Amino acid sequence: MARKSNDGGPTVIKKYANRRLYNTGTSSYITLDDIAEMVRDEIDFQVLDAKSGEDITHQILAQIILDQESSGEAHMLPVSFLRDLIGMYGNSVQAMIPGYLEASMASFRKNREELTTAWQQGLSANPFAKMAETNIAMMRAAAEAFMPAGKGAPAPKPSEGDDLSTLREQMAEMQKKLDQLSK
């Protein structure tokens, strides 16, 4: 959960015409890198255009992502994902995408936390099984929501047993690899 400012609301950052960003919480000028750090530190903020008062938080966060992607380091957003995302603008599913992406990221964060906890506990239980089941269900729901099965016929679903046996095989393979790495 994002931390609020001392008055209980988000920290206000003002963007001036000269492109400078002013953090009203610390009474100092900041950079996009500072805003990225605020995101990583889970500090709640809102960026406002100093002249119009318009909320431009979305544009600033998108600019940070663009800067990160063009920095020459490893890219987080694959070209195929960017193409798909662009292709969905103006599409009938456009309104559903933000909610789906938020749910996907929430699921990813939860899985990451569970995996971190499992590693810290020494992998006494198999943490991958539950996460894999959740991910398979989420991907299946997404595929059914976004991909028509064709000519009115629903896509055939594999039986529960097939999924489970495949998952068990994959888990056994991962466990072997983990055992080899821990030696």
Side-chain angles (χ1 to χ4, degrees):
M1 179 181 206
R3 294 182 304 193
K4 305 284 184 187
S5 66
N6 292 338
D7 67 359
T11 299
V12 174
I13 299 169
K14 293 184 178 180
K15 182 175 186 242
Y16 291 94
N18 64 2
R19 296 183 180 183
R20 297 212 47 200
L21 297 162
Y22 185 76
N23 183 332
T24 61
T26 60
S27 300
S28 61
Y29 286 99
I30 61 174
T31 64
L32 290 176
D33 288 337
D34 295 323
I35 292 177
E37 190 63 34
M38 290 174 72
V39 170
R40 286 188 281 279
D41 290 342
E42 298 183 7
I43 297 172
D44 192 18
F45 63 88
Q46 181 180 32
V47 183
L48 302 175
D49 182 276
K51 186 174 182 180
S52 69
E54 176 188 2
D55 184 348
I56 57 170
T57 308
H58 188 270
Q59 292 94 321
I60 295 298
L61 294 175
Q63 180 64 46
I64 291 169
I65 291 169
L66 182 63
D67 289 352
Q68 291 290 315
E69 286 292 310
S70 64
S71 69
E73 298 171 13
H75 299 290
M76 192 178 309
L77 302 174
V79 171
S80 61
F81 173 80
L82 294 171
R83 289 176 196 246
D84 288 343
L85 192 59
I86 290 168
M88 289 184 195
Y89 278 94
N91 192 317
S92 62
V93 297
Q94 180 178 347
M96 296 178 356
I97 297 300
Y100 174 76
L101 292 176
E102 285 178 353
S104 296
M105 285 305 293
S107 177
F108 177 79
R109 282 190 300 274
K110 182 178 179 249
N111 287 346
R112 183 180 65 189
E113 290 167 10
E114 289 175 358
L115 187 58
T116 300
T117 301
W119 283 110
Q120 291 169 348
Q121 294 173 353
L123 288 173
S124 58
N126 193 339
F128 300 106
K130 185 176 179 185
M131 286 185 281
E133 286 177 24
T134 302
N135 289 341
I136 288 171
M138 191 172 77
M139 285 187 266
R140 181 177 289 131
E144 290 172 1
F146 295 118
M147 308 281 185
K151 306 237 179 186
K157 292 183 183 179
S159 71
E160 191 73 27
D162 291 343
D163 280 347
L164 194 53
S165 63
T166 302
L167 193 57
R168 284 187 177 133
E169 290 172 10
Q170 291 172 345
M171 296 308 301
E173 206 44 53
M174 281 193 266
Q175 189 63 47
K176 286 180 190 175
K177 290 179 182 179
L178 286 172
D179 291 343
Q180 290 173 347
L181 289 173
S182 66
K183 291 180 182 179

